């Protein structure tokens, strides 16, 4: 699984609609409204690195109201929640 963190600048008067549209895109797992320089943060989770290009510049950047994005690729996950979920994906001790 490849994870990308995408910071998004959006039209201020359209932030809720932009966030909802982005949240509905395939490959986007979560969208957060945030404080600071950017308006939204999207978590993109795909199977292959190449799919990030399909999601971010291919779809997310084309959402009306998106003005700018900055994408960061995650190297490793340290969250206990994510690690526990990864180890409980249906693997059975009897396998």
């Amino acid at each position: 699984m490849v994870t990308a963190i995408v910071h998004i600048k959006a039209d201020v008067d359209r932030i809720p609609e932009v966030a909802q549209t982005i949240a509905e895109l395939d490959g986007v797992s979560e969208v957060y409204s945030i404080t600071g320089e950017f308006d939204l943060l999207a978590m993109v989770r795909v199977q292959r690195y190449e799919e990030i290009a399909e999601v971010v510049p291919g779809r997310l950047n084309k959402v009306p109201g998106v003005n700018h994005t900055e994408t960061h690729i995650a190297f490793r996950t340290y969250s206990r929640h994510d690690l526990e979920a990864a180890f409980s994906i249906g693997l059975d001790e009897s396998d």
Side-chain angles (χ1 to χ4, degrees), residues 19 21 28 35 39-40 48 56 62-63 68 73 77 83-85:
T21 301
V28 176
T35 62
D39 304 302
L40 301 168
R48 296 175 299 117
V56 180
K62 294 178 181 176
V63 170
H68 175 76
I73 307 298
T77 300
L83 294 174
E84 288 173 358

Side-chain angles (χ1 to χ4, degrees), residues 10-22 33 40:
D11 291 340
V12 175
D13 59 338
R14 300 188 66 200
I15 290 173
E17 294 83 10
V18 171
Q20 186 60 47
T21 301
I22 292 170
S33 60
L40 301 168

Side-chain angles (χ1 to χ4, degrees), residues 3-60:
T3 301
I5 299 97
V6 185
H7 291 91
I8 303 158
K9 288 185 182 182
D11 291 340
V12 175
D13 59 338
R14 300 188 66 200
I15 290 173
E17 294 83 10
V18 171
Q20 186 60 47
T21 301
I22 292 170
E24 294 171 359
L25 296 174
D26 286 339
V28 176
S29 61
E30 302 121 79
V31 177
Y32 301 95
S33 60
I34 59 173
T35 62
E37 182 180 345
F38 292 90
D39 304 302
L40 301 168
L41 182 142
M43 298 300 293
V44 174
R45 299 178 200 278
V46 292
Q47 293 298 317
R48 296 175 299 117
Y49 175 79
E50 295 82 13
E51 292 176 74
I52 293 170
E54 296 169 18
V55 176
V56 180
R59 293 193 292 269
L60 193 152

